[in-house]
Amino acid sequence: MSIKSDLKKDGIEVIEELDTLTINSLAKNISSKLCSTFPNFGLDETKLFIKLSRLNMFVANMPEGMAEANYFYKNNSIYFNNHIPAEDREEFAIHECIHYIQEVKDKKNYLIRMGLCDYSEFKIYGLALNEAAVQLMSSKIIGIPKDFVKYYGISFETTSPSYYPVECSLVNQLAYLFGEDILFESTINSNDNFKNKVVEATSLKTFYAISNALDSILNNEESIIKLNNKILENDDRNSKVDNLVNKINDLKEHIKITYFRTQNLIISSYFDNMFNKINTLEEVENYRRKLYTFKDYIATAEGYTYFNDYYIETMNKLEHKYNMIENGGLETAVSITTKEQSKFITIIKSIKKLVLSIFGLKDKIEE
């Protein structure tokens, strides 16, 4: 299929091509910001500028709901939505330029990998994981502040309130648990370092379950956009429109269910595995701190209690484990119950009482 056919299929109509001076200005600013934000990823600012300045850039009409900018790997081009002011193009170009940097092609110019996303002959793996990671990188470069938002009945804090917010929320949890640096390094350099770290701490099955869940959320969101566009084509409210609205509501509910299943999987798979590896009092304290801080990364919803329940249950087990380690592995009930409470156990009990009130603070959200 030709580039022209690809663009027509996606509803993109080219209006004009950006001039060389504009492209070079964008390339210079973006290469400088990428290298200063991520100084340890092996990026060379001069080489990066030369690479980005070779991109083709166009202004185009795009369908409602489509991303404000799109990178096409077949002709190394970025297409900007016509309604974006010229001074705002750089913000949207950053995400697409990262895609250009991370792409890996074979000798026949076929795309085989883009960051955390693998392209095979029959299926694409990790598309949403990669998009979310790229967006988190872009938000970090731009310096977007955290904001409380609510989508599909899911409330959370994010640095990407407008672009892939739900996917970014889950991937940000992974960044906290496994390290932001290794996530972003794998994203821009297209390697398996991040994947291997997740697999080592959980399992290969868990990694693919998370990746597939993210793809499912992204696919459902794209379906919602298409259905909304069909509704806009109908002037009057009728049974057909009502049917489309019902389909949208079903998709939104599925996204919500998928999100919390995935969040719960991330919590249980990581913290269960880490709990079993605790052997010292220092590791007990590190574990407690990491689980406690995870509350700042999760999403909540009406009736959602999984993390709170998991936290309290795990703190009870952690208190017992602390006693066992402190007593040299003695397992008699007497030695546990007669042991004077340590300062650490007092802290744990205080935190357990505090957890419910902490979650009560999460009402400042955008509808």
Side-chain angles (χ1 to χ4, degrees):
M1 187 180 289
S2 66
I3 299 299
K4 189 174 181 179
S5 299
D6 283 336
L7 294 175
K8 186 176 181 180
K9 179 183 176 183
D10 289 337
I12 297 176
E13 299 176 1
V14 175
I15 298 174
E16 63 175 340
E17 184 172 4
L18 296 185
D19 59 81
T20 302
L21 186 63
T22 300
I23 294 173
N24 285 345
S25 177
L26 288 169
K28 184 177 185 301
N29 291 340
I30 293 171
S31 58
S32 175
K33 289 178 179 178
L34 266 168
C35 291
S36 62
T37 307
F38 306 110
N40 302 317
F41 293 173
L43 299 172
D44 182 294
E45 187 173 337
T46 301
K47 291 180 180 178
L48 193 55
F49 164 70
I50 294 172
K51 182 179 178 71
L52 295 180
S53 65
R54 291 172 179 164
L55 278 163
N56 305 303
M57 299 186 186
F58 301 89
V59 176
N61 287 322
M62 297 183 182
E64 186 71 28
M66 195 172 188
E68 303 293 13
N70 277 274
Y71 171 65
F72 271 62
Y73 78 90
K74 290 183 179 179
N75 63 344
N76 301 128
S77 299
I78 295 175
Y79 297 86
F80 295 99
N81 200 318
N82 184 39
H83 68 239
I84 299 175
E87 61 271 21
D88 293 338
R89 286 178 190 146
E90 182 180 311
E91 176 183 342
F92 300 103
I94 290 171
H95 185 109
E96 308 310 317
C97 284
I98 293 175
H99 279 324
Y100 176 51
I101 296 166
Q102 64 180 187
E103 69 178 11
V104 178
K105 297 178 180 178
D106 63 16
K107 293 180 180 179
K108 295 182 179 180
N109 205 41
Y110 290 121
L111 188 64
I112 57 176
R113 180 158 184 164
M114 186 175 277
L116 304 174
C117 180
D118 288 320
Y119 290 78
S120 71
E121 186 177 353
F122 304 106
K123 189 177 179 180
I124 299 173
Y125 297 93
L127 178 62
L129 174 61
N130 187 61
E131 286 292 352
V134 170
Q135 183 55 37
L136 288 173
M137 291 184 74
S138 301
S139 296
K140 191 176 182 71
I141 292 168
I142 298 166
I144 298 176
K146 288 184 178 180
D147 193 11
F148 281 105
V149 297
K150 185 175 183 179
Y151 289 97
Y152 319 117
I154 311 167
S155 303
F156 53 93
E157 193 175 37
T158 180
T159 56
S160 182
S162 303
Y163 302 99
Y164 308 109
V166 176
E167 295 89 339
C168 284
S169 173
L170 288 170
V171 175
N172 196 41
Q173 293 177 16
L174 299 177
Y176 166 71
L177 294 177
F178 302 103
E180 188 180 79
D181 282 350
I182 194 169
L183 169 65
F184 292 161
E185 188 276 328
S186 281
T187 299
I188 203 160
N189 289 325
S190 296
N191 60 49
D192 286 333
N193 293 340
F194 175 72
K195 175 184 176 181
N196 292 339
K197 190 160 187 178
V198 176
V199 171
E200 180 184 2
T202 58
S203 68
L204 183 62
K205 182 180 178 181
T206 297
F207 175 81
Y208 281 121
I210 295 169
S211 179
N212 291 336
L214 287 164
D215 284 340
S216 175
I217 290 172
L218 181 60
N219 290 335
N220 285 334
E221 288 182 326
E222 290 175 348
S223 296
I224 289 173
I225 291 172
K226 292 175 182 177
L227 291 171
N228 275 326
N229 287 338
K230 286 184 179 181
I231 291 175
L232 292 175
E233 294 170 0
N234 288 270
D235 296 329
D236 301 317
R237 184 85 184 202
N238 52 44
S239 58
K240 182 178 180 181
V241 171
D242 289 341
N243 185 45
L244 293 173
V245 170
N246 289 334
K247 286 182 178 179
I248 289 173
N249 289 334
D250 288 343
L251 288 169
K252 288 181 177 180
E253 183 62 23
H254 189 266
I255 289 173
K256 182 179 179 181
I257 291 170
T258 303
Y259 180 96
F260 284 108
R261 282 178 178 169
T262 308
Q263 177 171 279
N264 296 348
L265 174 62
I266 292 171
I267 293 167
S268 61
S269 61
Y270 178 82
F271 287 104
D272 284 357
N273 192 39
M274 290 301 102
F275 185 89
N276 293 331
K277 295 180 179 180
I278 294 174
N279 292 306
T280 67
L281 297 181
E282 182 182 2
E283 289 172 348
V284 169
E285 172 58 21
N286 291 338
Y287 180 94
R288 180 203 65 77
R289 189 183 300 113
K290 192 154 193 175
L291 178 57
Y292 176 75
T293 307
F294 194 69
K295 73 184 188 321
D296 298 329
Y297 293 84
I298 69 164
T300 59
E302 185 178 352
Y304 178 77
T305 63
Y306 182 88
F307 179 75
N308 182 57
D309 296 340
Y310 183 91
Y311 183 88
I312 293 174
E313 180 184 350
T314 304
M315 285 299 100
N316 287 328
K317 293 192 298 183
L318 197 63
E319 180 180 331
H320 178 79
K321 191 155 195 172
Y322 182 93
N323 277 316
M324 297 301 297
I325 295 172
E326 194 174 47
N327 283 282
L330 296 176
E331 297 183 4
T332 62
V334 174
S335 66
I336 294 174
T337 55
T338 59
K339 180 72 182 178
E340 183 179 354
Q341 280 193 334
S342 67
K343 182 181 178 182
F344 172 79
I345 296 175
T346 304
I347 292 172
I348 284 183
K349 289 188 174 181
S350 298
I351 291 173
K352 285 193 289 187
K353 293 178 182 178
L354 200 61
V355 170
L356 284 172
S357 62
I358 289 171
F359 283 102
L361 296 176
K362 293 206 168 186
D363 343 303
K364 189 181 177 186
I365 52 178
E366 289 184 7
E367 295 294 340

